[in-house]
């Protein structure tokens, strides 16, 4: 298609404009068709080993390999690298991470872990689309980080009140900023939280009540999550299937 070909770029700074340079890779930034064109471009990138799963979201790619296919780690990585090269892209190993999930309570030293992949750091926690998961599928780290951000937002709300913002506007800010941040993607991770995690989340809602930016008779965080998952039955099924603790009813 002509739209994807013959693109040029120049830089204008300080009243001077550089000469045009041909764009030979990447997606046209700022165009409505940009995200869609990348999805189409990456549609042929698939796992090469049966049983492995490759999940893509925009330019993030996640390879999920079960323990039975441990031997295929290098093959999957080489396949992605060859695909990237064929599409005039580069696999950034420094930004790539590996996490090994074990649900057993035994120390990882009791397992024969595979060697680290060349140039890729092995981590114990990983942020996936804004949600932090650990190698034990614990949500405590994610809950801690989110609550810290919400407390900072509550401080901003207090500053806005000191500058004269009315209660109705403050309540709108609390709902759109604090609650949205607190329960982001909650249907995917709520089932993995512990009782302590949930108490900490409810405490943030309680702070909103004490600050008069959330009604005392308003729904709890658990009720808000339930309402959201009921409206998204597909996400509810996924959460229940993957959860290691009972899903909220």
């Amino acid at each position: 298609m002509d739209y994807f070909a013959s693109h040029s770029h120049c830089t204008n700074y300080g009243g001077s404009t550089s000469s045009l340079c041909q764009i030979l890779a990447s997606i046209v930034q700022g165009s409505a068709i940009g995200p869609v064109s990348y999805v189409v471009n990456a549609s042929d990138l698939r796992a090469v080993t049966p049983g492995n799963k490759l999940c893509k979201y925009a330019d993030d790619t996640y390879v999920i390999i079960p323990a039975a296919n441990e031997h295929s780690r290098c093959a999957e990585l080489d396949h992605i690298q060859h695909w990237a090269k064929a599409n005039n892209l580069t696999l950034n190993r420094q930004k790539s991470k590996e996490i090994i999930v074990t649900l057993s309570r035994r120390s990882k030293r009791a397992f024969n872990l595979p060697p680290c992949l060349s140039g890729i750091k092995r981590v114990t926690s990983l942020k996936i689309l804004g949600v932090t998961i650990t190698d034990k599928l614990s949500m405590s780290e994610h809950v801690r980080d989110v609550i810290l951000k919400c407390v900072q937002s509550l401080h901003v709300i207090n500053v806005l009140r000191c500058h004269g913002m009315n209660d109705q506007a403050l309540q709108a800010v609390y709902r759109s900023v604090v609650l949205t941040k607190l329960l982001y993607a909650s249907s995917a991770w709520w089932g993995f939280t512990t009782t302590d995690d949930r108490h900490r989340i409810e405490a943030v809602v309680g702070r909103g009540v004490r600050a008069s930016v959330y009604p005392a008779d308003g729904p709890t965080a658990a009720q808000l999550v339930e309402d959201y998952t009921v409206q998204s039955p597909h996400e509810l099924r996924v959460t229940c299937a993957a959860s290691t603790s009972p899903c909220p009813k």
Side-chain angles (χ1 to χ4, degrees):
M1 295 173 58
D2 293 339
Y3 181 83
F4 297 97
S6 303
H7 283 285
S8 301
H9 169 78
C10 67
T11 301
N12 187 296
Y13 179 77
S16 300
T17 303
S18 67
S19 58
L20 290 173
C21 184
Q22 199 75 10
I23 298 177
L24 303 177
S26 188
I27 301 297
V28 180
Q29 298 295 315
S31 64
I33 201 172
V36 177
S37 61
Y38 181 84
V39 171
V40 173
N41 187 59
S43 62
D44 60 340
L45 177 58
R46 300 183 179 90
V48 295
T49 305
N52 294 349
K53 191 170 183 179
L54 197 148
C55 302
K56 294 170 287 185
Y57 184 86
D59 58 347
D60 288 336
T61 302
Y62 303 92
V63 183
I64 303 173
I65 302 176
N69 288 345
E70 170 196 317
H71 62 279
S72 66
R73 293 159 61 240
C74 291
E76 293 290 355
L77 194 64
D78 289 342
H79 170 64
I80 294 175
Q81 187 161 335
H82 292 155
W83 176 90
K85 186 176 180 180
N87 287 272
N88 204 14
L89 301 170
T90 302
L91 173 63
N92 192 333
R93 287 177 176 260
Q94 291 184 344
K95 289 186 177 180
S96 300
K97 300 291 185 290
E98 179 187 32
I99 184 170
I100 298 179
V101 177
T102 57
L103 298 182
S104 172
R105 293 185 178 180
R106 291 186 298 167
S107 169
K108 284 190 175 181
R109 296 179 180 178
F111 297 94
N112 293 321
L113 295 180
C116 294
L117 293 166
S118 176
I120 294 182
K121 183 179 180 181
R122 181 174 293 172
V123 297
T124 57
S125 65
L126 184 66
K127 181 171 287 189
I128 300 178
L129 302 181
V131 178
T132 302
I133 66 168
T134 70
D135 55 358
K136 296 293 185 183
L137 292 184
S138 167
M139 287 294 114
S140 295
E141 184 174 338
H142 174 72
V143 170
R144 181 198 65 201
D145 294 344
V146 168
I147 288 178
L148 178 60
K149 294 177 181 178
C150 289
V151 170
Q152 293 171 343
S153 297
L154 283 170
H155 174 70
V156 173
I157 290 176
N158 288 332
V159 173
L160 293 174
R161 171 173 281 144
C162 292
H163 282 76
M165 181 175 283
N166 62 60
D167 288 345
Q168 185 176 1
L170 291 172
Q171 291 171 8
V173 172
Y174 178 82
R175 291 193 304 270
S176 60
V177 176
V178 178
L179 285 185
T180 300
K181 189 178 301 180
L182 184 66
L183 300 178
Y184 166 75
S186 57
S187 61
W189 54 261
W190 184 264
F192 295 92
T193 56
T194 63
T195 301
D196 183 60
D197 292 333
R198 299 186 185 190
H199 285 164
R200 292 162 63 194
I201 293 171
E202 296 292 358
V204 176
V205 178
R207 292 185 65 166
V209 174
R210 292 192 296 273
S212 300
V213 292
Y214 191 73
D217 58 349
T220 63
Q223 290 171 335
L224 291 172
V225 173
E226 181 180 3
D227 291 343
Y228 180 74
T229 52
V230 166
Q231 292 172 8
S232 307
H234 175 68
E235 292 180 330
L236 179 63
R237 289 197 297 271
V238 172
T239 302
C240 291
S243 176
T244 56
S245 61
C247 292
K249 296 181 180 180

